[in-house]
Amino acid sequence: MTSSDPESLVDLLLRYERTAAEVLPSAAYDFIAEGAGEEISSREAVAAWRAYRLRPHVLRDVSHVDTSTSVLGVRLSAPVLIAPTAFHVMSNAQGEVETARGVRAAASLMVVPTLSSMPLEAVAAALSGPWWLQVYCTRERELTRRLVADAARLGASAVVLTGDTPLVARKRRVIFPPVTADQYLTNFRRYLARDAEYAFATSVDPSIGVEIVTWLREESGLPVVVKGILRGDDAKACIEAGAEGLIVSNHGGRQLDRALPTAAALADVVDAVGDSCEVLVDGGIRSGIDVLIALALGARAVLLGRPVQWALAAEGASGVERVLRTIRDEFFQAMALAGASSTSQIDRSLLSAAFKP
Amino acid sequence: MTSSDPESLVDLLLRYERTAAEVLPSAAYDFIAEGAGEEISSREAVAAWRAYRLRPHVLRDVSHVDTSTSVLGVRLSAPVLIAPTAFHVMSNAQGEVETARGVRAAASLMVVPTLSSMPLEAVAAALSGPWWLQVYCTRERELTRRLVADAARLGASAVVLTGDTPLVARKRRVIFPPVTADQYLTNFRRYLARDAEYAFATSVDPSIGVEIVTWLREESGLPVVVKGILRGDDAKACIEAGAEGLIVSNHGGRQLDRALPTAAALADVVDAVGDSCEVLVDGGIRSGIDVLIALALGARAVLLGRPVQWALAAEGASGVERVLRTIRDEFFQAMALAGASSTSQIDRSLLSAAFKP
Amino acid sequence: MTSSDPESLVDLLLRYERTAAEVLPSAAYDFIAEGAGEEISSREAVAAWRAYRLRPHVLRDVSHVDTSTSVLGVRLSAPVLIAPTAFHVMSNAQGEVETARGVRAAASLMVVPTLSSMPLEAVAAALSGPWWLQVYCTRERELTRRLVADAARLGASAVVLTGDTPLVARKRRVIFPPVTADQYLTNFRRYLARDAEYAFATSVDPSIGVEIVTWLREESGLPVVVKGILRGDDAKACIEAGAEGLIVSNHGGRQLDRALPTAAALADVVDAVGDSCEVLVDGGIRSGIDVLIALALGARAVLLGRPVQWALAAEGASGVERVLRTIRDEFFQAMALAGASSTSQIDRSLLSAAFKP
Amino acid sequence: MTSSDPESLVDLLLRYERTAAEVLPSAAYDFIAEGAGEEISSREAVAAWRAYRLRPHVLRDVSHVDTSTSVLGVRLSAPVLIAPTAFHVMSNAQGEVETARGVRAAASLMVVPTLSSMPLEAVAAALSGPWWLQVYCTRERELTRRLVADAARLGASAVVLTGDTPLVARKRRVIFPPVTADQYLTNFRRYLARDAEYAFATSVDPSIGVEIVTWLREESGLPVVVKGILRGDDAKACIEAGAEGLIVSNHGGRQLDRALPTAAALADVVDAVGDSCEVLVDGGIRSGIDVLIALALGARAVLLGRPVQWALAAEGASGVERVLRTIRDEFFQAMALAGASSTSQIDRSLLSAAFKP
């Protein structure tokens, strides 16, 4: 028993989101919050994790609880990464550089987005350890090629391919985020000789298939992680094409509305790939118990998206750091209370198959 | 990313329905909206589609997405038809002729109702492509015989037999629609020597069985589609009697209250008939994602009922056209985001069997 | 289509119940309405029937729909009986005699309660056809013996033994109904030499087992129906003891709170007894569709309890008659719309096993 | 039928809780009420029992209903014990001594907590019959050793080891209860030479495993009951280590939030241990029907936690006695209405497997 308990992540994020709603232009707040279509998937992501019930072990030695794990060979103090989300500059003037400072302070791993408003050099410089680069596969393949090459040169240790965006889904609220061309064309202007604006508007190449994984791997010399997987068969196809990691994701509910919650899709993907690949998951993670559940279902780690933007908007780098530290502390406690002293002891038997709240 | 996203069908229909509620007499609005009995089936139709969750494929070449399909040999740019509903004249002074103009503009297929206030000639003239005629089997068999013969002569390519109305179910709200005898007796006066009013009031023949399918087929020389099927065994009986198409329908919840939602009945019918017959479905379809789900369950196409009346009331033919274009666009996007480039690639694996929201 | 649809039973009963709430003393209204304990079972009875979804047949000849059935050899125009409920005098000054007039007008079958305020002779005289007598098995066996003998003499064709009341469960609202000793001791005073009040207060014999069925049958010379069955094994034990009918009932939720709704218990009992016994059901039946569902689950007929008291309070015998006629009309329509022209065609395939609303 | 029904436990506890909310400092009320984290588990405990539906037997001789049982050889008039909860002095100035008086009056069994504010002698003196002592396994093993030895000397007949608290989970509301050092250090000051305050703050030993069961049994010479079990495999491990009883518990939802409700975990534990061990359960029990359900699932007895604190706050010992008498009366009635005349007749067939409300 301590004299004062730290704020829970749920409460912290409620506060950060409320602050974000106050300090951001409503178009920025809505762009971050919104989902595709009727926003069914974006709204049910959180509830899907909360619907699981736990079967904790007791009377196990948890005097030394180790929350660390490795993801594609990178050792992390907790299985929590920063998901790639567009335009952190919406939430903080220093954009992804500010995020990077928080990530560095918490010793986490950031997936730097192609739609970063800040140059890769600046973001990479603000990070101390390894980082990953997220890419779409653009019609202008040269853009992808040069971006990936620069990332590799700047220390990226993996490439995350967003696979679920052959086109951008319709949204009800904000069509385009409130950022200037200077901000959203950062990487496009740098790597393209031609009209960057046009290239941006037509950037997504809807023709790519899993063979792009092989191409990306060869171009970058880096392991490729495919983001946006919701099915076991797709997962297997990616692995055959050379993927070394998968992120179970429905793009925060921003692509196909009514896509299965990731909390419900994860087990199918994990079961399909077995030990041949590391599986991560994003979407709706809001507490250390959610992380425990994700790992119990077989995830290697989770990624946080919207929470990072809210933290950035509310408290900048220190907000990001606080989110990461809080979730690590909560995960530590959840492990101890579940009788797990290392992440390898977290298995699916921690979850109740039958009970539905 | 585009500079402005078009209105979604859900939002468009909310607007059209609201307008209909304003511009129509309340008896007309209620007649369109109401269901039988306690309105359980009519109210849960929409939710039943929305309860499905999707397992989209990613990293599939969707640079060419083809939303077209054929229904009984008729090629359509999208698998969406106009369901037969009574008395379009309630919603627009030009009635079914106005509907037909919208259908023609969107290159869809209209099922023209027996209870059309407009003469078949006028409706057929307003349509460019093929159309179907809906019939009840009346006690005055001569009426049906002559109506069908005329329809065949005027270019109808199929007859849709409403099978679920041996009597008209009780309604709580409006007993009889606010239309004049001139409007509701159009076809009855034309084809009957005897008192049309009496014939109308006693029109439904409760004694007919599946053998009527054979009779209709012979009389019309056209393929017969049976509407109102909710069970696999009934489906098989219809096929044995010569039906070439089936419409899974609970009559918009206007006949037996508590009948299964069509979204829940469809798979059973599809599984029962296999490849021996085309299966369509109506009831509660309100978005392109609903269409994707219907096709994933095995439907060949869907039909829209109430949305057409609301669109007619709000914007006439251009409203009908807009509904059809919007649902096609949404279906296009849903296919692309699900990794399907043709309707033949849409299968049941797109649906999650386990997760219930 | 008719020019005016009759009021549905749901609407009629809402109106009757509202009237009862106005015209009855609140203690009488509450005594009729209440359930045991937290009133969980009494409140969920209606919803349990409404949770079923139907799979109607179409294209079947329903030009002659026969709603009649026989129950223990008694031919009834519809499978709806009057459940035994205490003290109709609470709702109408003529009590069970008034009820009997309504039953006679509608040609239904009344189960006359032991707790009738009116002498059996008067009730029997007001009925034209067969009737049944409900009994508790009292500690004063002589009371039961004489009551049953008189009933047999007065034309009762069966005895209904209430099996679920070895003691009277606690109620939150009204402990004892607002009736006078003259009213509630009618049968006790008649058949007992000893102090009727004392006998009444201690009337229920908690020691009886299924062997009482055999005893009752021998004493009365009438078939015995056991009321209060919720399990297949109990059902079989009753049949072995000589029961010819069973009523699946949780006593309107007035005995063991959280007892299974009868809509959920019925199938188990039906499956256990097969053809060896007729199974009836009460509890929460409020529409003709409910009757269809009960018969689809295997019931031979249903019984109405609270609706009769409300009807009595609102309109006396003509209210009771109207309830019975309305439910028959609704059942007729439900049969026609489900494709059943006789009750023997109603089977469990009419219900959807999978879909849950 | 009686002239006035006693207040149900549900109503009584609502009243006691309301009184507690009035008379206690809000920090005390909240400390008693709160759960860990988002309070999901603490809030769903009651509902989980209420979700079961019953299949009562009828026509069984229940003229003699015996609610008694034995727990670890102790004969009790009803299968209801007092759970160990911290600091009864929050609710009543006489703390656990006052509780003990109520327990004695109702002839129940009290599990005296380590965090008792009253000396064991005083509590034991206020109790007439057998009692159990609850212990955490402290880092200062000497404390546990001496506490247990004294308890044995003072007549404790079993030791209850809390197994689910290697650390104290975070709470949103009250971090530390409103009690003085004099009150919360009672046992720590008595048994420790060193700084009791420090020892208290670091009391829980997170390193203990099931081997502690063996140690406790040897130290105390008493049977050991492990509290906090939610899984069959843990249950088996405890039995192998020498446990003679288990308490299925999620610590009132105060440890791992989203732990399975005990109502949902109980059957798994019972099935795993068979006849090798007695299984008790706590968490959310609020009525005699809940007790019937717990026994139907295989529990030997239940324990009451928060209700005892509310009763203490509202009416002291007589409140505790009334709670115990009321639940026994309700359990008696539930047994009679379910057709069980002894606890050995209560089996899982009383529960419906299929129906979910």
Side-chain angles (χ1 to χ4, degrees), chain C residues 275-288:
Chain C
D275 294 331
S276 62
C277 179
E278 295 187 2
V279 178
L280 289 77
V281 66
D282 70 18
I285 299 279
R286 296 292 180 271
S287 74

Side-chain angles (χ1 to χ4, degrees), chain D residues 56-345:
Chain D
H57 284 290
V58 296
L59 291 181
R60 302 213 159 177
D61 178 354
V62 289
S63 50
H64 300 285
V65 170
D66 179 4
T67 61
S68 74
T69 193
S70 72
V71 183
L72 294 191
V74 179
R75 197 79 209 164
L76 295 173
S77 64
V80 182
L81 290 71
I82 302 295
T85 60
F87 311 128
H88 293 198
V89 75
M90 282 187 299
S91 299
N92 182 288
Q94 300 303 309
E96 291 76 13
V97 170
E98 185 73 8
T99 310
R101 289 181 190 129
V103 171
R104 177 179 195 159
S108 176
L109 190 156
M110 179 173 177
V111 184
V112 179
T114 287
L115 296 181
S116 173
S117 314
M118 298 289 150
L120 289 189
E121 280 85 353
V123 182
L127 292 162
S128 57
W131 55 279
W132 296 354
L133 176 74
Q134 174 268 338
V135 294
Y136 295 94
C137 223
T138 51
R139 293 184 201 260
E140 299 281 351
R141 205 58 51 96
E142 189 58 21
L143 166 63
T144 307
R145 191 193 312 264
R146 293 186 55 196
L147 184 64
V148 165
D150 267 8
R153 186 177 52 79
L154 291 165
S157 62
V159 175
V160 174
L161 171 70
T162 296
D164 59 10
T165 313
L167 55 80
V168 176
R170 286 184 192 173
K171 310 286 190 314
R172 229 173 192 162
R173 297 198 243 176
V174 178
I175 307 308
F176 196 80
V179 288
T180 66
D182 278 351
Q183 293 171 330
Y184 69 77
L185 293 179
T186 308
N187 281 322
F188 283 76
R189 283 186 176 158
R190 172 173 188 155
Y191 295 109
L192 279 180
R194 299 186 357 164
D195 177 17
E197 188 111 28
Y198 175 81
F200 177 85
T202 61
S203 61
V204 185
D205 183 350
S207 75
I208 59 167
V210 286
E211 71 286 349
I212 200 73
V213 173
T214 319
W215 179 83
L216 257 181
R217 197 180 184 190
E218 286 166 5
E219 282 297 321
S220 66
L222 296 175
V224 174
V225 176
V226 182
K227 175 169 170 284
I229 301 296
L230 290 170
R231 306 172 52 121
D233 50 4
D234 280 10
K236 282 198 247 186
C238 289
I239 293 170
E240 280 164 30
E244 294 181 35
L246 299 172
I247 302 178
V248 172
S249 173
N250 64 18
H251 210 127
R254 300 169 80 89
Q255 286 292 94
L256 183 62
D257 197 24
R258 294 192 235 173
L260 202 56
T262 55
L266 176 56
D268 176 37
V269 173
V270 166
D271 293 346
V273 306
D275 294 330
S276 63
C277 179
E278 295 186 2
V279 178
L280 290 77
V281 65
D282 71 17
I285 298 281
R286 297 292 180 270
S287 75
I289 294 177
D290 292 339
V291 180
L292 181 71
I293 291 166
L295 268 63
L297 288 165
R300 187 112 191 144
V302 307
L303 301 96
L304 301 180
R306 290 178 179 95
V308 172
Q309 294 268 16
W310 298 329
L312 268 184
E315 296 186 0
S318 68
V320 174
E321 181 189 353
R322 185 160 176 192
V323 165
L324 290 165
R325 290 197 182 281
T326 301
I327 199 167
R328 181 168 57 203
D329 289 352
E330 289 187 357
F331 178 56
F332 174 95
Q333 186 171 106
M335 283 181 65
L337 293 177
S341 52
S342 73
T343 55
S344 64
Q345 290 176 3

Side-chain angles (χ1 to χ4, degrees), chain B residues 38 40 44 163 166-167 169-172 175-176 206-207 209-210 228 231 233-234 255 257-258 260-261 268, chain C residues 1-2 5-6 10-11 49-50 53-59 61-63 287 289-290 329 333 337 349 352 355:
Chain B
E38 301 172 67
I40 293 174
E44 80 187 1
L167 55 81
R170 286 182 193 176
K171 310 287 189 312
R172 230 175 192 158
I175 307 309
F176 196 80
S207 76
V210 287
R231 307 173 51 122
D233 51 3
D234 279 9
Q255 286 293 93
D257 197 23
R258 294 192 236 173
L260 202 56
D268 175 37
Chain C
M1 295 187 194
T2 62
D5 274 7
V10 164
D11 289 336
W49 293 109
R50 292 167 62 116
R53 288 296 170 270
L54 292 159
R55 303 171 65 242
H57 283 290
V58 296
L59 292 180
D61 178 355
V62 289
S63 50
S287 74
I289 294 178
D290 292 340
D329 289 351
Q333 186 171 105
L337 294 176
S349 84
S352 169
F355 180 76

Side-chain angles (χ1 to χ4, degrees), chain B residues 3-28:
Chain B
S3 60
S4 95
D5 274 7
E7 197 173 18
S8 73
L9 188 61
V10 164
D11 289 336
L12 181 67
L13 291 178
L14 280 175
R15 194 158 57 79
Y16 280 176
E17 185 181 359
R18 214 173 288 132
T19 303
E22 285 165 19
V23 303
L24 296 183
S26 68

Side-chain angles (χ1 to χ4, degrees), chain C residues 65-84:
Chain C
V65 170
D66 179 3
T67 62
S68 74
T69 192
S70 72
V71 182
L72 294 192
V74 177
R75 197 78 209 166
L76 295 173
S77 64
V80 182
L81 290 72
I82 302 295

Side-chain angles (χ1 to χ4, degrees), chain A residues 68-217:
Chain A
S68 75
T69 192
S70 73
V71 182
L72 294 191
V74 178
R75 197 79 209 164
L76 296 172
S77 63
V80 182
L81 290 72
I82 302 295
T85 59
F87 311 127
H88 293 198
V89 74
M90 280 188 299
S91 299
N92 182 287
Q94 301 302 312
E96 291 75 12
V97 170
E98 186 74 8
T99 310
R101 288 182 190 129
V103 171
R104 176 179 195 158
S108 177
L109 190 155
M110 178 172 175
V111 184
V112 179
T114 288
L115 295 181
S116 174
S117 314
M118 298 288 150
L120 288 189
E121 280 86 353
V123 182
L127 292 162
S128 56
W131 56 279
W132 297 353
L133 176 74
Q134 174 268 339
V135 295
Y136 296 94
C137 223
T138 51
R139 292 183 202 263
E140 298 280 350
R141 206 57 50 94
E142 189 58 21
L143 167 63
T144 306
R145 191 193 311 267
R146 294 186 55 194
L147 184 65
V148 165
D150 267 8
R153 186 177 51 79
L154 290 166
S157 63
V159 175
V160 173
L161 172 70
T162 296
D164 59 10
T165 314
L167 55 81
V168 176
R170 286 182 192 175
K171 310 287 188 312
R172 229 176 193 158
R173 298 198 244 176
V174 179
I175 308 308
F176 196 79
V179 289
T180 66
D182 279 351
Q183 293 171 328
Y184 70 77
L185 292 179
T186 309
N187 281 321
F188 284 76
R189 283 187 176 157
R190 174 173 186 153
Y191 296 109
L192 280 180
R194 302 189 351 169
D195 177 16
E197 189 109 28
Y198 175 82
F200 177 86
T202 60
S203 60
V204 186
D205 182 349
S207 76
I208 58 168
V210 288
E211 70 287 349
I212 201 73
V213 173
T214 319
W215 178 84
L216 257 182
R217 199 180 181 189

